[in-house]
Amino acid sequence: EPEVTQTPSHQVTQMGQEVILRCVPISNHLYFYWYRQILGQKVEFLVSFYNNEISEKSEIFDDQFSVERPDGSNFTLKIRSTKLEDSAMYFCASSLGQANTEAFFGQGTRLTVV
Amino acid sequence: GESVGLHLPTLSVQEGDNSIINCAYSNSASDYFIWYKQESGKGPQFIIDIRSNMDKRQGQRVTVLLNKTVKHLSLQIAATQPGDSAVYFCAEAGGGSGTYKYIFGTGTRLKVLA
């Protein structure tokens, strides 16, 4: 069964450092998303991406965040200068269409900023 | 019910009993709703979805009910099994925002007692 894969599973970084979280969405999917989940809290939308551009972003997704689809298979989330409060699980998701189609989530990357 | 931070509402059921997990959604314009299951350390896993033109949808051992009048969604799990133990999130999407980002609820922890 096709799945969304994310690497690494766990990333520890020092405050102020840049991190890149990587995702390989399901191959025929067209819409890509990043969500995050702070420990014990609900999953929060960060950004959606379609046709090589950001479709929508939340207020969390500020100038420190960026996304890229550098080739036909990878989808990355970059945090330029990490803060302690960026520590969370980051989930990548993809969907075939936009309206009323389920999004498939990856297993997540646990980011710990120290 | 609602909860903040680490204190998720918890539902404890005996193995073999039916479970009902409730969710209140926020946007009356949302037109697509999904239930996800999240096991510890894993990403959200799709369970079942429902469109706003339906009141009820059944899957294997699961049923989702939608009451648009009171903006309420429920997930019924028949003959609950130990493997059903997880946190369950409802999510809403659509609502005219332009993209189908998911807005997740707080989550309910289901504990299945042997």
Side-chain angles (χ1 to χ4, degrees), chain A residues 20 25 94:
Chain A
I20 298 176
S94 68

Side-chain angles (χ1 to χ4, degrees), chain B residues 23-44:
Chain B
C23 173
Y25 64 91
S26 58
N27 188 350
S28 57
S30 293
D31 56 14
Y32 181 57
F33 306 89
I34 318 96
W35 279 100
Y36 279 94
K37 172 186 180 183
Q38 187 178 29
E39 296 172 290
S40 182
K42 296 185 177 181

Side-chain angles (χ1 to χ4, degrees), chain B:
Chain B
E2 292 293 323
S3 70
V4 177
L6 300 175
H7 302 288
L8 287 175
T10 299
L11 175 66
S12 297
V13 298
Q14 289 292 136
E15 182 178 355
D17 286 353
N18 296 335
S19 303
I20 300 176
I21 300 171
N22 296 304
C23 173
Y25 64 91
S26 58
N27 188 350
S28 57
S30 293
D31 56 14
Y32 181 57
F33 306 89
I34 318 96
W35 279 100
Y36 279 94
K37 172 186 180 183
Q38 187 178 29
E39 296 172 290
S40 182
K42 296 185 177 181
Q45 177 187 358
F46 173 87
I47 302 174
I48 191 168
D49 59 3
I50 189 168
R51 294 166 176 74
S52 59
N53 61 350
M54 303 171 71
D55 298 323
K56 179 179 179 179
R57 189 160 187 237
Q58 288 185 291
Q60 187 178 18
R61 276 203 311 123
V62 293
T63 300
V64 55
L65 299 177
L66 174 63
N67 185 331
K68 295 181 287 294
T69 303
V70 295
K71 294 190 289 186
H72 185 267
L73 199 63
S74 69
L75 176 70
Q76 300 177 1
I77 305 173
T80 313
Q81 302 168 359
D84 295 328
S85 293
V87 177
Y88 289 80
F89 292 95
C90 67
E92 59 184 298
S97 67
T99 59
Y100 273 75
K101 66 182 182 188
Y102 291 179
I103 305 299
F104 282 83
T106 309
T108 296
R109 186 180 305 281
L110 177 64
K111 290 186 177 179
V112 181
L113 309 173

Side-chain angles (χ1 to χ4, degrees), chain A residues 3-60:
Chain A
E3 60 180 11
V4 176
T5 58
Q6 290 185 244
T7 55
S9 57
H10 191 186
Q11 174 90 45
V12 181
T13 189
Q14 288 199 324
M15 191 168 52
Q17 295 296 304
E18 173 183 287
V19 294
I20 298 176
L21 310 182
R22 302 180 190 280
C23 169
V24 179
I26 295 173
S27 61
N28 62 336
H29 284 187
L30 302 176
Y31 294 84
F32 313 112
Y33 311 86
W34 282 101
Y35 289 80
R36 80 170 185 192
Q37 185 179 32
I38 294 171
L39 183 64
Q41 297 187 23
K42 59 185 177 182
V43 179
E44 301 173 289
F45 170 79
L46 291 178
V47 66
S48 59
F49 191 87
Y50 169 71
N51 199 25
N52 285 320
E53 62 182 19
I54 291 173
S55 304
E56 187 172 358
K57 58 185 180 181
S58 72
E59 61 275 7
I60 302 169

